[in-house]
Amino acid sequence: TTKTCGQCQFEPAAMVVPPVMRWCVLALLMIIARPNEASAFHILSSDPGSGAGQGGHRHRRGSRGVDTELAARARPYVELVQTNEQRVFGRSGTQEASVSHLMSGIRLQSKAEMMSSMTLEKAYRVFLAMNRSRAPDFDSLAGLVQAKLQGLQQNGGGRRLRTAVRSNENDELSNLYAARDMINAMMDESITNKELEIEKCENYNRTQLRVIWENQHDIDYASAQAAEARGASLRATEISSDIQEVKLPNLKNQLHENTDRCQKERSSLTSQLDLVAADEGVLRNIFSLIQCEDVDMKSLMPEPLMMLELQSKSNSTMAMAKYAGGASRAEDGALVRCPACGGGSRPSVHLRHARVQQELQKLRSVVAKQYVDGHLQEAFAESARLHPSKIRGAVLVQAGSSGGGAAAARGATELLPGVGCSEDLGPGGNGSSYRGCVTTTAKGFVCQSWTANHSGATNGSDPENVNTWGVGDHNYCRNPTPLEKETIWCYTADPNQEWGYCQPLEELQAPEGAAQSSCAISEGCKIGPGDCGKMRDRFLIILAGVKDKEDQLNEDKSVLEQECAQTHSDLMESIRTLGMELREQETELAMATKQIQDATSAESHANRARLQYVKEYHRELKECCDNVNGLLREACSLEKLRAELLRAEGGEVKITDCEVSEWTDGECSKDCEGGTQERTRSILAHRENGTHCPPMVQKQDCNLQHCPVDCEVGVWSEWTACTAGCGGGVRSRIRQKKVPPKYDGEDCPETEQTVPCNVGRCNSDCVLGEWGAWTACSKACDTGHRERRRGVEVDARGDGTCPQADSEARLIFEECNTDVCMKMIEEDHRTVLQCNSKLDLVILMDGSGSLEEYGFQQAKDMSARLLRSLQGSAGLVQVAFLTFGGPTTLDAFERCTGSSKSNDTVDAQRDCGMHWVSHFTSDTQAVAARVMDLPFPMSTTMTSMALAEAKTEIAEGRTDAPSVTLVITDAKPLSARKTATAAEEMKRNARLIWVPIGPLADETVGSMKAWASKPWQDNVIHLADFDALTAPHSLNLIISSLCPYVA
């Protein structure tokens, strides 16, 4: 069929009927021919020339030309069936099972057709062939017929009549009417037998067609099962091929790549760890080499402690004497800064200490070298800031060079033949014999040429006291007047400064350690004093930094191992899953193959059975047709003889046989599985001297076909996992067939559903929600901030990003309460605000050596004034106070950082410099008094441990009071990495405020902004120097930041 506008359009010429449908074609022909008598038997009884005929009667309802029409309509379908038989069996239309063969020679003749060809001779032969037991006196009847029909002498018929005639004729039989009645009785018997035969044949037809129909269902079911199994086999083959040829090789390649990548990255991290671990050992050696003056020596020397190259404590006296005498200044642990090689912008700083330089030369890792360089730069800058008068010029020379060698190294011209620059002041140290090359005064004024000075070298001097040797047309410093001037000097080119003393350059050997390739050999160097205690602290900080790097590398290695292990596990799991899926598909393939074999075998068996059913049907149908035609022939022969007998007598007796209508079928008692129905017919012509009427009512079986069996399915399974986490996958569910459809039952609904899932992009950013409401202002005055946030509505996918909760995309601030705090207290004639907020405050005050005495004292004063400004009464403020420093020895450092191999208990105060002045209390005045009595710890800066201590203290605070931690410091923390971690932990429990002080903290301010609570503008209060600590403005900034409510 072709579907046109929702209607089926039949195209017989283009239609190829499937072989399994050929009996359906027969059934279709039945319905076309007789909707109420759907019987192949009736179809086979079509008579192209049938009509009323002579003496005949209609045995079908409808037009007289229906059989002719039927034959014409059936012809294309029969041809289609024949064509299909040829395609299926590969045979011609003479195949014994073909419809054309079945229909040939099997046709019921109509009474009219039979009567038209029925001669008296044929009728008499049929009569003689009848069973003689059917009439009481068949022979007498036969004799009568012969006697009355004298003209019948052909083919031995008369001879048979003559021998059959009795010599004495029976008067009763000679009665023509008796003969008529006997013939009528025989006709009634034939007609009755014919109807019984037709009923039997129709019953057989219905039963056999049902068998053939059920057989066809078996064929269709087996064919469908085979097709379904072939589909399953194809799917299993395709999936197995994809797994074996694509997916598994790809996963194994990824596994190999992951193994190689992890091995390379693991080797790289291991190498870096080896370098860092070796550098830790070098730094520990350096720390042990840095020996400082003891307390007694410190009291004798106002200058910073110098780092001496001591072998033992017993050498301290000798070292002191050596220092006091001013000898060997090149080995006093001074810091030397020189221009960078190649004219770089960053000068080089190295430490004057032979054994330390040897150790520094062993450093291998970049991080260790960077830490050393950075801290030496800071140390020199701090020395220049604190002791500017101690900075002096120096010149680097090659090892083993002096005097003329130095001049040669500087590229200076000889002053006299054979004589170069020499920085030696000569005997007595007054510089009278100094022949150096210094051209600036100690205060930085450029010297004027001696010959350019109009007054000359003897200007204002007694000629007898003037030594002009070495003075000439140059501007080098000299001392031509040793009796009047203490050391070398020169006239300056500045009109406001007539002359000034000069300082000779110190000849220093070029460094051999880490700074060897960093500085130029020139006279542009500066030398400054080193502070031994601070230098030890710095090398401890360097060690902590390298230790941070080691921890970071170990963490990176651990993350790498976890990532590699997870990736390896995921890939192996994927390989294992694919292996299981492959085995499942192989099982599915085996099952499908078995199903194909079983279904093919069942289909073949059903087809063989069908051929047998067709042969049997053909045989039975032919027998039915022969029997019915024979009985009809008997009735027609008797009717012919009856008519001839009456005509021979010249009688005028009217004979009318009973004529009945076609059967009208009543409603079947059941729709299927065999019911009964009543058939009725009516008398069309009543009997008059003719045959009797047959029964008008009949019961027959009906609807013998099986009832339709609808498909039944089970419940849906759970949805499978999505085949893809993103980018579009599918998930499916199935339900099993519990009962397959049979006998035109309802087909199965879908047994598998597949729906798309995770259709979002694999790499998609998160989707943010709407902004929330603004919070209250963080400060009462001096510009605070209020904030509002927004959350995440849809999480990020894959490599997509999502802003952090505290990023600008999800957290914004705006300024509020911009009034100046001082306006609030002007009327009370006060200079410092009063905190009226309820809070738990932990103050962490730095006590490291970088503050020095003055800075520490200023920090104490500020802290005490702050404490006095807090309202501890009425349950408002609780305060805890911690002075923190850090370890000062290597053993203490290892105990405090947890890297010590010993099991000694760590004393937080003794080893790590953590001193609790007070735990939480509301007596702020008492805490202020104790703070003022604190001694200067002068240690390192272990900020991370101080934050950890504060976190523990906050855990003991009040649940209904906000917690705030205030950190007052001037230096870099010992471990920036651990400090950052501790700060993040602290911010989960309390607000964190930083107060960095002075230039040393400048480089750490950027980190503190990240460590502080947001917004950092409210939580980082950067003070320029220690003098600003106690200023009212600074105190008010801190108090207004701490307390939302002030007075």
Side-chain angles (χ1 to χ4, degrees):
T1 62
T2 58
K3 197 162 188 179
T4 305
C5 299
Q7 299 296 325
C8 290
Q9 196 172 39
F10 203 43
E11 298 178 1
M15 176 180 170
V16 176
V17 182
V20 297
M21 294 299 290
R22 54 184 169 274
W23 291 111
C24 296
V25 173
L26 285 177
L28 176 64
L29 297 181
M30 298 173 196
I31 298 171
I32 294 173
R34 287 291 183 268
N36 296 324
E37 298 175 10
S39 169
F41 180 76
H42 282 82
I43 293 174
L44 296 176
S45 67
S46 59
D47 180 8
S50 63
Q54 294 181 357
H57 66 271
R58 291 181 301 162
H59 57 88
R60 293 187 182 87
R61 290 185 297 172
S63 66
R64 297 180 183 271
V66 66
D67 293 328
T68 303
E69 180 186 359
L70 173 64
R73 295 169 67 182
R75 188 173 298 108
Y77 300 100
V78 173
E79 292 174 356
L80 287 173
V81 174
Q82 289 176 329
T83 302
N84 191 67
E85 292 286 348
Q86 295 178 26
R87 292 177 64 248
V88 174
F89 295 104
R91 305 174 186 178
S92 66
T94 59
Q95 163 65 26
E96 62 177 0
S98 68
V99 175
S100 59
H101 178 75
L102 290 175
M103 296 183 67
S104 63
I106 305 177
R107 188 172 66 84
L108 292 178
Q109 289 181 301
S110 67
K111 180 180 178 181
E113 182 182 5
M114 193 167 288
M115 290 298 292
S116 66
S117 62
M118 179 64 67
T119 64
L120 184 60
E121 183 182 1
K122 286 183 181 179
Y124 188 64
R125 284 200 301 269
V126 171
F127 171 74
L128 291 178
M130 291 181 185
N131 191 343
R132 295 180 181 272
S133 63
R134 291 176 57 182
D137 197 348
F138 185 84
D139 290 337
S140 297
L141 177 62
L144 178 62
V145 171
Q146 183 182 24
K148 296 297 183 181
L149 301 176
Q150 293 296 327
L152 184 61
Q153 296 293 330
Q154 299 178 358
N155 297 327
R159 191 166 52 252
R160 288 194 295 275
L161 285 174
R162 285 197 293 271
T163 58
V165 173
R166 296 181 179 181
S167 59
N168 298 318
E169 296 180 356
N170 189 308
D171 292 339
E172 184 179 357
L173 291 178
S174 65
N175 188 331
L176 189 61
Y177 295 107
R180 180 200 63 193
D181 293 340
M182 187 178 293
I183 290 174
N184 285 343
M186 293 179 69
M187 288 178 64
D188 286 339
E189 183 180 358
S190 294
I191 292 171
T192 299
N193 289 339
K194 186 192 77 168
E195 289 197 346
L196 290 174
E197 184 68 18
I198 289 175
E199 182 181 358
K200 183 195 76 169
C201 290
E202 286 184 343
N203 286 336
Y204 170 78
N205 182 72
R206 285 191 295 270
T207 302
Q208 193 66 6
L209 285 180
R210 170 189 170 185
V211 171
I212 294 174
W213 182 61
E214 290 177 356
N215 172 261
Q216 185 56 53
H217 274 281
D218 293 340
I219 294 174
D220 291 344
Y221 182 74
S223 178
Q225 290 293 100
E228 185 177 350
R230 290 188 187 97
S233 173
L234 180 61
R235 287 192 300 272
T237 301
E238 290 177 348
I239 294 173
S240 298
S241 177
D242 184 52
I243 291 174
Q244 290 178 314
E245 298 176 8
V246 180
K247 292 182 177 179
L248 274 177
N250 285 344
L251 285 176
K252 291 179 179 179
N253 185 51
Q254 293 178 34
L255 185 65
H256 178 70
E257 291 177 352
N258 179 68
T259 302
D260 287 348
R261 177 186 65 84
C262 291
Q263 183 61 39
K264 292 177 181 177
E265 294 185 13
R266 187 182 297 111
S267 298
S268 174
L269 289 174
T270 301
S271 299
Q272 294 181 61
L273 278 169
D274 291 341
L275 290 177
V276 169
D279 286 351
E280 282 187 38
V282 171
L283 291 170
R284 284 185 172 88
N285 292 338
I286 291 175
F287 191 84
S288 64
L289 288 175
I290 300 176
Q291 303 288 341
C292 298
E293 305 286 350
D294 56 23
V295 176
D296 293 337
M297 293 173 64
K298 179 180 177 181
S299 64
L300 297 173
M301 297 170 51
E303 295 86 355
L305 295 177
M306 309 305 286
M307 183 175 66
L308 303 180
E309 196 170 4
L310 304 178
Q311 299 298 326
S312 65
K313 287 291 184 180
S314 61
N315 294 331
S316 59
T317 304
M318 178 186 68
M320 181 65 186
K322 188 174 182 181
Y323 178 82
S328 187
R329 285 184 294 170
E331 296 183 356
D332 62 2
L335 296 168
V336 179
R337 184 179 68 182
C338 294
C341 287
S345 60
R346 182 180 175 92
S348 169
V349 177
H350 65 276
L351 186 64
R352 297 302 305 172
H353 193 290
R355 295 183 62 188
V356 169
Q357 282 298 127
Q358 292 175 2
E359 292 297 320
L360 289 175
Q361 192 174 5
K362 298 176 183 178
L363 293 176
R364 302 291 302 278
S365 67
V366 175
V367 63
K369 293 178 180 179
Q370 289 176 343
Y371 270 119
V372 169
D373 179 67
H375 279 276
L376 291 180
Q377 295 279 357
E378 291 177 3
F380 189 90
E382 182 183 17
S383 178
R385 178 174 57 84
L386 297 176
H387 310 287
S389 62
K390 300 294 183 179
I391 303 300
R392 59 188 186 276
V395 59
L396 291 186
V397 298
Q398 296 286 358
S401 300
S402 62
R410 296 192 299 273
T413 57
E414 294 183 349
L415 301 180
L416 294 174
V419 180
C421 293
S422 175
E423 300 296 330
D424 188 9
L425 291 176
N430 60 5
S432 59
S433 60
Y434 171 77
R435 295 300 179 267
C437 300
V438 176
T439 58
T440 57
T441 67
K443 294 184 178 181
F445 294 102
V446 177
C447 293
Q448 189 182 48
S449 173
W450 291 99
T451 56
N453 186 274
H454 300 291
S455 300
T458 61
N459 183 28
S461 299
D462 186 350
E464 295 181 0
N465 297 328
V466 174
N467 179 9
T468 59
W469 187 80
V471 174
D473 189 14
H474 60 77
N475 66 337
Y476 296 127
C477 294
R478 294 289 185 265
N479 189 9
T481 57
L483 297 180
E484 299 178 5
K485 300 290 193 297
E486 298 176 0
T487 186
I488 58 176
W489 60 279
C490 71
Y491 293 106
T492 74
D494 191 324
N496 298 319
Q497 183 70 31
E498 181 181 4
W499 65 280
Y501 283 113
C502 301
Q503 184 177 13
L505 298 176
E506 182 170 356
E507 292 188 357
L508 304 176
Q509 291 185 355
E512 299 177 357
Q516 182 178 14
S517 61
S518 302
C519 58
I521 299 176
S522 69
E523 69 270 14
C525 298
K526 299 291 183 182
I527 185 170
D531 189 313
C532 182
K534 290 184 179 180
M535 191 58 65
R536 280 175 62 90
D537 291 348
R538 287 189 178 278
F539 271 96
L540 201 58
I541 294 173
I542 294 171
L543 179 59
V546 174
K547 185 70 176 174
D548 277 357
K549 183 64 176 180
E550 182 184 30
D551 292 343
Q552 179 187 339
L553 290 172
N554 279 320
E555 182 178 332
D556 292 345
K557 188 175 181 182
S558 176
V559 170
L560 175 67
E561 296 293 349
Q562 292 178 5
E563 177 192 344
C564 291
Q566 185 63 48
T567 303
H568 184 274
S569 175
D570 292 344
L571 290 173
M572 290 300 296
E573 179 64 20
S574 298
I575 292 174
R576 186 185 70 82
T577 302
L578 282 180
M580 293 177 59
E581 185 178 355
L582 180 60
R583 289 191 291 273
E584 290 176 0
Q585 294 304 320
E586 290 171 348
T587 302
E588 290 287 336
L589 181 60
M591 292 175 60
T593 303
K594 180 67 167 55
Q595 290 173 356
I596 291 172
Q597 294 172 351
D598 293 344
T600 303
S601 176
E603 186 178 11
S604 177
H605 177 76
N607 274 308
R608 287 193 299 271
R610 178 182 56 80
L611 293 176
Q612 187 63 34
Y613 295 148
V614 168
K615 290 179 181 179
E616 182 182 347
Y617 184 72
H618 169 263
R619 183 176 61 252
E620 292 293 332
L621 202 61
K622 186 176 185 305
E623 183 179 344
C624 284
C625 286
D626 291 344
N627 291 340
V628 172
N629 286 336
L631 292 170
L632 178 61
R633 188 177 298 109
E634 288 181 356
C636 290
S637 297
L638 291 171
E639 184 178 348
K640 181 75 173 178
L641 290 175
R642 184 186 64 182
E644 291 297 331
L645 285 174
L646 293 177
R647 186 170 57 250
E649 285 291 325
E652 297 180 356
V653 178
K654 181 178 180 181
I655 297 177
T656 302
D657 293 328
C658 179
E659 184 176 354
V660 297
S661 65
E662 288 289 331
W663 287 108
T664 300
D665 294 334
E667 186 175 356
C668 191
S669 62
K670 295 174 65 176
D671 292 333
C672 53
E673 297 294 348
T676 59
Q677 67 181 168
E678 187 177 82
R679 310 177 78 194
T680 61
R681 54 187 173 184
S682 60
I683 298 174
L684 299 178
H686 288 275
R687 169 182 179 273
E688 184 177 355
N689 299 319
T691 56
H692 291 82
C693 291
M696 296 293 105
V697 179
Q698 185 185 67
K699 286 190 177 181
Q700 70 172 11
D701 295 334
C702 56
N703 292 340
L704 300 179
Q705 76 278 6
H706 287 292
C707 290
V709 177
D710 296 338
C711 177
E712 293 184 16
V713 295
V715 297
W716 286 108
S717 66
E718 296 294 330
W719 288 103
T720 62
C722 193
T723 57
C726 55
V730 294
R731 57 183 185 137
S732 59
R733 63 176 182 174
I734 60 173
R735 53 182 173 181
Q736 300 296 331
K737 292 180 183 178
K738 297 175 66 177
V739 178
K742 295 181 68 176
Y743 313 124
D744 293 332
E746 291 291 335
D747 290 334
C748 293
E750 60 179 346
T751 57
E752 181 175 350
Q753 286 184 342
T754 301
V755 296
C757 55
N758 295 340
V759 295
R761 293 179 301 168
C762 286
N763 301 321
S764 59
D765 296 340
C766 68
V767 178
L768 301 179
E770 297 294 329
W771 287 104
W774 289 103
T775 63
C777 194
S778 61
K779 296 173 67 174
C781 53
D782 278 349
T783 307
H785 292 82
R786 60 176 185 167
E787 67 181 52
R788 63 174 179 173
R789 299 175 179 268
R790 59 177 174 173
V792 177
E793 287 190 350
V794 180
D795 292 333
R797 291 178 177 272
D799 294 333
T801 60
C802 193
Q804 295 294 322
D806 57 354
S807 66
E808 292 183 358
R810 295 178 56 187
L811 173 62
I812 58 175
F813 301 93
E814 71 174 10
E815 293 183 351
C816 53
N817 294 347
T818 56
D819 295 337
V820 179
C821 289
M822 290 299 295
K823 292 182 178 180
M824 301 177 62
I825 55 178
E826 285 179 349
E827 296 180 359
D828 297 335
H829 304 288
R830 291 186 292 117
T831 58
V832 178
L833 294 170
Q834 192 79 33
C835 178
N836 284 342
S837 300
K838 185 175 184 178
L839 72 150
D840 289 343
L841 174 64
V842 179
I843 300 176
L844 307 179
M845 187 179 74
D846 188 359
S848 60
S850 58
L851 274 77
E852 300 196 357
E853 287 284 357
Y854 176 74
F856 185 69
Q857 185 61 46
Q858 286 291 95
K860 290 197 302 181
D861 289 344
M862 185 274 289
S863 299
R865 295 184 65 182
L866 173 62
L867 289 167
R868 296 188 190 103
S869 300
L870 303 177
Q871 287 289 345
S873 60
L876 289 179
V877 178
Q878 278 195 156
V879 67
F881 199 100
L882 173 72
T883 301
F884 70 94
T888 57
T889 66
L890 195 57
D891 290 341
F893 170 78
E894 291 180 341
R895 285 195 294 272
C896 294
T897 56
S899 57
S900 176
K901 297 180 180 179
S902 66
N903 295 324
D904 296 342
T905 303
V906 179
D907 188 317
Q909 181 170 347
R910 183 192 67 236
D911 296 332
C912 311
M914 303 294 134
H915 173 56
W916 279 105
V917 177
S918 174
H919 292 284
F920 273 133
T921 179
S922 59
D923 191 353
T924 57
Q925 304 302 318
V927 177
R930 287 197 291 271
V931 167
M932 292 304 298
D933 293 336
L934 287 173
F936 182 27
M938 201 172 64
S939 61
T940 54
T941 314
M942 200 167 189
T943 313
S944 59
M945 189 171 186
L947 289 171
E949 291 279 318
K951 178 186 172 185
T952 303
E953 183 71 13
I954 284 173
E956 302 297 327
R958 297 169 293 180
T959 58
D960 60 341
S963 299
V964 181
T965 299
L966 178 69
V967 185
I968 305 170
T969 182
D970 82 316
K972 292 181 180 179
L974 196 62
S975 169
R977 184 171 180 272
K978 291 181 179 179
T979 300
T981 302
E984 290 302 318
E985 290 291 329
M986 173 61 70
K987 287 189 287 186
R988 295 190 183 98
N989 300 276
R991 181 182 171 196
L992 182 56
I993 302 176
W994 295 82
V995 183
I997 311 164
L1000 292 180
D1002 289 348
E1003 293 186 14
T1004 318
V1005 170
S1007 298
M1008 290 180 180
K1009 291 178 180 179
W1011 298 341
S1013 297
K1014 288 182 177 292
W1016 68 262
Q1017 290 88 344
D1018 288 347
N1019 298 290
V1020 177
I1021 304 168
H1022 187 194
L1023 303 181
D1025 51 42
F1026 292 103
D1027 291 335
L1029 267 176
T1030 55
H1033 176 70
S1034 301
L1035 282 169
N1036 288 334
L1037 278 177
I1038 296 173
I1039 294 171
S1040 62
S1041 296
L1042 287 173
C1043 308
Y1045 305 106
V1046 295

